[in-house]
Every structure is written in structure tokens, then in C-alpha cells.
Amino acid sequence: MSEQHNMKVIARIHNDFPTKFGIPHQSNRLSALKATIVFEPEYRVAEAFRGLEDYSYIWLIWQFSEAVRENWSPTVRPPRLGGNTRMGVFATRSPFRPNHLGLSSVCLEKIEYHPEFGPVLHISGADLMNGTPIYDIKPYLPYVDSHPKAKGGFTDHIEEHILKVEFPEALLEKIPKPQREALLEVLANDPRPRYQKNPERVYGIAYGQKDIHFQVKDDTLLVCDVTEQKIL
């Protein structure tokens, strides 16, 4: 019989990704993506953060809250392999894991001591959806956590693909200025699933309070429309 251990949610992330679609596949790929981490009342204790400001990066241990399932599969189909090749779940970073846990290193921009929410972490480069529960935070230690010569498995053979983004000025003006740089990075990194390559299809990504509609033909992403998000 497997043992059961309860973990407490200590914080939640707040950013411009209300849905999973479009979130970077890995952390620290898009440095323009900003977010904050707000702690639960029990953990809003300034002493718990003493010394954290001396680190450039931190590790987040979190839950794939939108992928929680009772059962798990020993193999998964990584999107980066086209969605058709199966790999062992422990050889991937798939969200469909036995405990649905994620691990991300993010840049710690600053710590704000908010009068209502206590210590708030300002970070960049996170690959989490808005509201994602966080279980723990640890400092990133370059002398042991960085391994430049390490093998990357099947990812070593995947080329990065950056798209040219055509965003008409009239549509770009609908996006708040502080969000534009990050959104352009997200679009350039091709938010589509790797196995979807239909040039006629119009895709939609929710970002901030807007829905961004776009098509991709060859190596160019064209933004077709920007609309207000529908509140359900």
C-alpha cells in the first residue's frame, strides 16, 4: 500500500495566463514574462524570507492543478516529439505524473513587502498558469544546480523554432503597453501544439484580459484580431 502525505499550498502565482494554451514549455525561456507570487496568510511572515533577496534565481515546486487525475500512465507523448512518440513519463516533464508536481527555476526580480499581502515575490520567466498552487520555494545554487555539459535526452535533437510575428499596429494598440513585449515573445516561440500545423486554422490564446487570434503560415505568425475575453 502506498503511503499518503498531505502537502500545504503556501502560495499562488499571478500572471497573464488564464489558461494553459500558450504557456512556455519550460521556465526561463521568455525573460519578459513577469509574475508575482502571493503567499497564503499563514506564510506571510517576513522572517521566512530573510536572505532570499541575495539570490538571483529560485526553484518553485508546484502542482499541475489542471492536469490532476486519479490514474497515471507509465508513458506519455511529448508535444515536442509531435505528439505521436511515446516516452517514459520519468524521462519527460509531462504534467500527467503520479503526483502532478512541477519544478521550475525562475528569476527573482525583487521582494515587495506589501501592507496587505505581506512578502510578495516578483519573478520573471515562469511557465505556470495564473492561480497555480505552489508547495515550496528553494534558492537556486549555481555551483551545484548548473550543469552546462549535461545530456538533454531527446531534447538535444530538437531545434528551436522562432517565428516572425506580424502584429498590425491597430491591434497591438489594444494590448496594454506593459504586456506587449512578453506577448510578442510568446507568439514568436509558437504557442501552438507541435502537432498542429494547419495554415488555415485560426488559433486563439488568452493573455491578460484579451483573446489573441492568429494564423501561422510557413515561418510567419499573423495576428488576425484582438478581442475582449468572454467572462463565463
Side-chain angles (χ1 to χ4, degrees):
M1 179 180 297
S2 60
E3 295 184 15
Q4 298 291 327
H5 298 277
N6 294 324
M7 290 192 296
K8 291 184 177 181
V9 175
I10 67 168
R12 292 184 184 274
I13 194 166
H14 296 269
N15 61 20
D16 292 313
F17 286 109
T19 67
K20 295 184 294 182
F21 188 80
I23 295 177
H25 297 299
Q26 303 294 341
S27 60
N28 272 312
R29 287 187 43 131
L30 308 182
S31 59
L33 288 177
K34 308 298 181 182
T36 57
I37 296 175
V38 178
F39 289 81
E40 297 297 301
E42 180 181 354
Y43 304 101
R44 296 173 186 175
V45 181
E47 288 81 2
F49 301 84
R50 185 182 301 157
L52 187 62
E53 70 278 0
D54 294 330
Y55 295 92
S56 299
Y57 289 83
I58 56 175
W59 290 105
L60 306 180
I61 301 173
W62 49 280
Q63 182 190 56
F64 289 101
S65 52
E66 296 296 304
V68 174
R69 300 176 177 178
E70 288 190 10
N71 300 318
W72 69 285
S73 172
T75 61
V76 295
R77 293 181 290 185
R80 299 197 69 179
L81 290 178
N84 297 315
T85 303
R86 284 197 170 271
M87 300 291 289
V89 66
F90 299 127
T92 74
R93 295 190 175 186
S94 167
F96 304 110
R97 323 184 66 77
N99 286 307
H100 316 100
L101 294 180
L103 178 67
S104 299
S105 66
V106 298
C107 180
L108 178 61
E109 303 279 351
K110 68 175 182 177
I111 302 176
E112 172 193 4
Y113 290 90
H114 192 277
E116 180 180 359
F117 302 117
V120 174
L121 306 187
H122 290 255
I123 63 172
S124 61
D127 54 343
L128 286 70
M129 189 177 76
N130 184 55
T132 293
I134 296 173
Y135 290 126
D136 204 359
I137 291 174
K138 297 177 183 291
Y140 176 95
L141 305 178
Y143 79 100
V144 289
D145 291 342
S146 177
H147 306 282
K149 297 181 180 181
K151 294 190 296 183
F154 66 84
T155 65
D156 282 342
H157 309 291
I158 298 175
E159 294 183 3
E160 294 298 332
H161 185 61
I162 303 299
L163 298 175
K164 176 185 176 182
V165 177
E166 294 185 359
F167 207 133
E169 189 65 29
L171 296 179
L172 185 61
E173 289 179 354
K174 295 183 178 183
I175 307 298
K177 287 185 178 180
Q179 297 177 339
R180 292 179 188 177
E181 181 182 1
L183 175 58
L184 290 172
E185 275 196 352
V186 170
L187 296 175
N189 276 268
D190 197 349
R192 300 173 300 167
R194 295 279 173 162
Y195 51 84
Q196 293 187 6
K197 301 295 182 182
N198 183 356
E200 302 302 321
R201 179 170 178 174
V202 176
Y203 299 87
I205 176 175
Y207 191 77
Q209 302 299 316
K210 306 291 185 179
D211 284 324
I212 317 300
H213 308 273
F214 64 91
Q215 289 180 296
V216 179
K217 296 182 180 180
D218 298 324
D219 293 326
T220 300
L221 183 150
L222 173 63
V223 176
C224 309
D225 200 6
V226 174
T227 59
E228 295 291 331
Q229 284 182 22
K230 295 180 180 178
I231 301 177
L232 301 178

